[in-house]
């Protein structure tokens, strides 16, 4: 018998913080909802019956038309800096938190994005469109499969109800899941408004729930919280940069207090490598360009530090708590770049090897994902030139063919080969296996998402489900899926993604 989660499985820790933090309200129903996609793995983690999830009752539940028993829907309030400017009060303008479900990894908040107007919608309509919901669903699950901290996506439900963006589109609701959706902007809201009791209450909740070690360490616990968040954010930025991920809207209200990738809008995985790439066509000044993401993350952490100052004894405590970011980010990035290069440990001079490679990639706008994958396939050949076989030579040529300046790349490859041979415990086969498990075959390129969206709009969900299955195994070469790992078509360069995405 199909059944929803039992009412007593739902908990509501955020709701129990009190009325200053949220507004209780129910979602606005959508007509004739239908299932679009779901994550069987996440459903299993949440203890949900996938047959029920895809049933009319389950679709109604996660569209917001008929919530399961035990839920307590609400929209939270927060503020933030948007594109470097103080934007004042923001809040959940189209997302409604319905509660938490227990899992083996602890309680997970469940949020319906696109569930209707809230008091924080400002000029918005409270809805999400099928296009943006598919992008968020696919990228959330793709990032999880890549091992990058992220909010998750349980399912998408659609409706033919019209929504106006640049054109008339159809509605959708994406169910998002995370241990918490608390953002830097939550702290900024209460600090800016002088609500220091609520600021302390929120900080205590986050420390006690997610960062208990902050009370065990010496010094001010709120400064320790800032330091812990900085450390997680530094690691997240290193992971973004290493995989070529551009977020597009790194406002403080889009920054997770848990160091998760939050709010997928105009994101993009790099095609040709361009460190100055701007994926968000709304970002005319390039504030959130790919190469600026680490710097912006530090700026956002500084804003968080300012918000926490009322809880500290001295402003220097906040500055001291932020200082480790400047060392931790480059160290974390170098570790990840070394892993991409098949190197087991960081040695002096590795940053020069990495930087010279990135300059070569930028000079030729070399496809980022394809380069790293081909290099992984060719590492054994580079490491042992004595293997003068057609297969090994072909692997090397496949990498060289990506470069116009082949001689320059060959010189770099020689230095890489020497570094590989000097690596502790170097073994070509084992190194190749590690690289193939680090450098993905498939990422969610813009054109792949666009193709899935175009088919879904015509009622054909097969391409969406096929892409979802491939993204769930990004490091595996799947038979019959070579098209998903190929170069982008010429028309992909003309896809425009903006904040409305």
């Amino acid at each position: 018998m199909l059944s929803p989660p039992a009412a007593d499985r739902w908990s509501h820790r955020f709701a129990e913080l009190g009325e200053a933090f949220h507004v209780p309200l129910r979602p606005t129903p959508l007509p004739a909802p239908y299932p679009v996609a779901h994550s069987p793995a996440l459903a299993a983690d949440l203890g949900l019956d996938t047959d029920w999830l895809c049933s009319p009752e389950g679709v109604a539940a996660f569209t917001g038309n008929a919530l399961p028993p035990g839920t307590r829907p609400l929209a939270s309030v927060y503020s933030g800096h948007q594109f470097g400017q103080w934007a004042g009060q923001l809040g959940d303008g189209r997302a409604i938190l319905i509660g938490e479900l227990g899992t083996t990894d602890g309680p997970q908040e469940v949020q319906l994005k696109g569930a209707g107007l809230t008091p924080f919608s400002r000029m918005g309509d409270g809805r999400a469109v099928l296009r943006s919901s598919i992008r968020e669903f696919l990228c959330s699950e793709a990032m999880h499969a890549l091992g990058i901290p992220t909010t998750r996506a349980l399912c998408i439900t659609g409706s033919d109800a019209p929504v106006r963006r640049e054109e008339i589109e159809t509605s959708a609701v994406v169910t998002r899941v995370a241990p918490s959706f608390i953002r830097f902007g939550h702290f900024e809201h209460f600090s800016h408004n002088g609500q220091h009791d609520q600021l302390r209450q929120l900080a205590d909740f986050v420390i006690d729930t997610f960062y208990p070690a902050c009370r065990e360490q010496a010094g001010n616990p709120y400064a320790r919280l800032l330091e812990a968040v900085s450390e997680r954010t530094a690691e997240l930025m290193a992971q973004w940069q290493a995989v070529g991920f551009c977020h597009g809207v790194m406002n403080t209200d889009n920054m997770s207090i848990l160091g998760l990738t939050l709010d997928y809008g105009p994101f993009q995985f790099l095609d040709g490598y361009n460190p100055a790439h701007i994926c968000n066509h709304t970002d005319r000044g390039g504030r959130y360009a790919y190469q600026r993401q680490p710097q912006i993350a530090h700026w956002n952490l500084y804003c968080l530090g300012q918000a926490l100052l009322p809880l500290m004894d001295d402003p220097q405590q906040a500055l001291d708590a932020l200082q480790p970011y400047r060392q931790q980010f480059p160290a974390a990035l170098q570790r990840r770049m070394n892993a991409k290069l098949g190197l087991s440990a960081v040695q002096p001079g590795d940053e020069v090897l990495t930087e010279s490679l990135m300059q070569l990639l930028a000079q030729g706008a070399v496809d980022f994902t394809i380069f790293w994958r081909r290099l992984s396939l060719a590492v054994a050949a580079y490491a042992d030139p004595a293997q003068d076989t057609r297969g090994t030579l072909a692997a090397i040529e496949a990498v060289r063919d990506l470069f116009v300046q082949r001689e320059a790349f060959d010189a770099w490859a020689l230095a890489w080969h020497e570094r590989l041979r000097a690596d502790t415990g170097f073994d070509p086969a084992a190194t190749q296996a590690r690289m193939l498990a680090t450098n993905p075959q498939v990422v969610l390129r813009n054109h792949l998402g666009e193709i899935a969206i175009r088919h879904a709009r015509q009622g054909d969900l097969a391409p969406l489900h096929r892409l979802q299955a491939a993204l769930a195994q990004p490091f595996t070469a799947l038979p019959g899926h070579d098209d998903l790992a190929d170069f982008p078509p010429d028309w992909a360069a003309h896809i425009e993604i903006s904040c409305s995405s």
Side-chain angles (χ1 to χ4, degrees):
M1 179 177 177
L2 304 182
S3 60
D8 60 5
R9 285 199 58 213
W10 292 97
S11 58
H12 305 280
R13 292 179 299 177
F14 186 81
E16 290 162 1
L17 288 175
E19 61 183 15
F21 295 85
H22 60 81
V23 173
L25 80 166
R26 297 188 66 82
T28 304
L30 279 170
Y34 60 88
V36 176
H38 72 280
S39 169
L42 181 54
D45 290 344
L46 294 171
L48 296 177
D49 183 324
T50 53
D51 290 334
W52 172 80
L53 184 64
C54 298
S55 71
E57 182 183 0
V59 169
F62 289 107
T63 306
N65 290 11
L67 293 178
T71 54
R72 288 171 57 184
L74 60 87
S76 76
V77 62
Y78 49 83
S79 297
H81 285 83
Q82 298 191 326
F83 291 91
Q85 303 297 318
W86 177 247
Q89 179 176 297
L90 302 168
D92 291 331
R94 55 178 173 170
I96 295 179
L97 176 67
I98 63 174
E100 296 173 301
L101 284 174
T103 74
T104 55
D105 294 325
Q108 300 288 312
E109 292 186 345
V110 180
Q111 186 185 77
L112 308 184
K113 182 177 179 180
L117 285 168
T118 80
F120 313 116
S121 297
R122 297 194 292 173
M123 299 300 291
D125 56 20
R127 291 301 186 191
V129 297
L130 182 63
R131 164 179 51 91
S132 62
S133 298
I134 287 175
R135 283 174 53 83
E136 176 149 5
F137 174 83
L138 288 174
C139 202
S140 298
E141 294 306 285
M143 293 285 270
H144 175 72
L146 289 167
I148 299 175
T150 179
T151 58
R152 301 285 302 277
L154 174 64
C155 61
I156 311 172
T157 61
S159 168
D160 290 336
V163 177
R164 177 176 289 280
R165 292 295 183 263
E166 284 84 358
E167 59 183 9
I168 298 297
E169 302 187 51
T170 59
S171 300
V173 174
V174 58
T175 299
R176 310 198 297 181
V177 176
S180 175
F181 286 94
I182 293 176
R183 307 144 185 272
F184 291 11
H186 280 92
F187 294 87
E188 289 186 288
H189 176 78
F190 294 111
S191 184
H192 181 82
N193 291 316
Q195 296 174 277
H196 295 166
D197 289 343
Q198 288 77 17
L199 176 66
R200 185 180 300 274
Q201 183 185 2
L202 179 64
D204 286 341
F205 171 76
V206 170
I207 289 173
D208 294 340
T209 307
F210 303 108
Y211 295 97
C214 292
R215 296 207 189 279
E216 301 166 3
Q217 300 167 350
N220 182 288
Y222 308 107
R224 300 286 74 76
L225 171 63
L226 178 61
E227 184 175 2
V229 175
S230 298
E231 291 172 352
R232 288 199 188 185
T233 304
E235 292 290 339
L236 180 66
M237 291 303 106
Q239 289 176 283
W240 282 9
Q241 299 302 107
V243 80
F245 176 76
C246 311
H247 184 280
V249 196
M250 289 179 64
N251 298 330
T252 58
D253 56 293
N254 292 338
M255 296 292 292
S256 163
I257 201 67
L258 300 184
L260 307 174
T261 310
L262 177 68
D263 285 354
Y264 292 92
F267 67 83
Q268 184 178 3
F269 287 86
L270 292 175
D271 291 326
Y273 181 67
N274 173 11
H277 181 70
I278 304 167
C279 68
N280 179 2
H281 286 258
T282 309
D283 184 14
R284 304 190 191 283
R287 178 179 176 81
Y288 300 135
Y290 167 75
Q291 66 185 355
R292 297 197 66 195
Q293 291 183 144
Q295 174 189 346
I296 293 297
H298 185 262
W299 190 91
N300 289 342
L301 286 163
Y302 184 85
C303 291
L304 177 61
Q306 285 186 309
L308 289 170
L309 282 179
L311 307 181
M312 298 185 196
D313 306 316
D314 186 319
Q316 190 62 42
Q317 291 178 324
L319 293 174
D320 291 344
L322 291 173
Q323 191 60 33
Y325 180 94
R326 294 185 179 275
Q327 289 78 43
Q328 184 162 343
F329 165 72
L333 180 59
Q334 190 60 56
R335 287 195 305 272
R336 295 194 174 277
M337 298 308 293
N338 270 39
K340 293 174 76 67
L341 289 168
L343 302 173
S344 61
V346 177
Q347 300 291 340
D350 285 350
E351 67 280 0
V352 177
L353 182 70
T354 301
E355 182 56 32
S356 60
L357 171 61
M358 303 313 288
Q359 290 176 4
L360 286 173
L361 293 177
Q363 288 169 9
V366 175
D367 189 279
F368 192 76
T369 301
I370 289 177
F371 165 75
W372 288 108
R373 190 67 178 185
R374 288 190 182 182
L375 193 70
S376 304
L377 293 169
V379 64
Y382 272 113
D384 189 357
Q387 297 182 39
D388 190 14
T389 67
R390 182 174 299 177
T392 56
L393 289 175
I396 292 175
E397 286 304 307
V399 181
R400 296 181 75 239
D401 284 347
L402 297 171
F403 294 84
V404 174
Q405 298 176 323
R406 287 189 172 192
E407 295 79 9
F409 175 74
D410 289 342
W412 176 88
L414 178 61
W416 175 54
H417 163 227
E418 293 174 351
R419 175 66 179 86
L420 280 171
R421 301 285 290 179
D423 203 41
T424 304
F426 174 69
D427 174 78
T431 298
Q432 182 174 75
R434 288 200 307 270
M435 290 179 68
L436 290 173
T438 301
N439 297 312
Q441 165 114 338
V442 178
V443 295
L444 182 57
R445 297 177 186 262
N446 270 352
H447 77 278
L448 297 178
E450 181 65 20
I451 290 170
I453 289 165
R454 290 177 183 179
H455 281 271
R457 282 173 160 171
Q458 301 301 316
D460 178 12
L461 299 176
L464 165 59
H465 297 156
R466 176 174 177 261
L467 178 56
Q468 178 190 348
L471 292 170
Q473 304 179 71
F475 304 105
T476 303
L478 300 174
H481 289 71
D482 290 348
D483 58 309
L484 303 181
D486 204 351
F487 292 96
D490 291 342
W491 58 264
H494 303 291
I495 298 175
E496 293 193 359
I497 308 296
S498 67
C499 287
S500 71
S501 302

